[in-house]
Amino acid sequence: QVQLVESGGGLVQAGGSLRLSCAASGRTFSSYAMGWFRQAPGKEREVVAAISRSGGSAYYADSVKGRFTISRDNAKNTVYLQMNSLKPEDTAVYSCAARGSGSSRYDYDYDYWGQGTQVTVSS
């Protein structure tokens, strides 16, 4: 069982930056691939980024490539999402998820989810 708690969301102007954190419970964090997903009002949940168990490989949605960076610190049981050059269309609830296998871009592959943190980008 893994419990995930996100933090770092908030209100930011377009062009600004935020760093989201997702802290995981348990001693086997390095056994889980991690992903960040987002859901805007009236839209389906979509993948933002995913990272392998070691942190050696990452996947990014086309909409965030070059602006967002996913990373993890297995010693701190934490995964991060650095978001730069934010746009109003990045406004959504961002959730992290854990998968006890290789990384995936599909939300249905993930076993554990955090409660989400709101990111609002004003124009």
Side-chain angles (χ1 to χ4, degrees), residues 76-100:
K76 294 183 178 180
N77 285 11
T78 303
V79 62
Y80 305 96
L81 185 68
Q82 177 67 44
M83 305 185 295
N84 299 327
S85 302
L86 283 159
K87 304 175 181 179
E89 51 264 44
D90 294 318
T91 295
V93 174
Y94 285 70
S95 300
C96 65
R99 180 172 189 245

Side-chain angles (χ1 to χ4, degrees), residues 48-72:
V48 176
I51 191 166
S52 63
R53 286 169 286 187
S54 68
S57 64
Y59 165 85
Y60 295 94
D62 288 343
S63 58
V64 306
K65 277 182 183 176
R67 301 189 297 123
F68 291 11
T69 302
I70 188 171
S71 63
R72 66 189 295 162

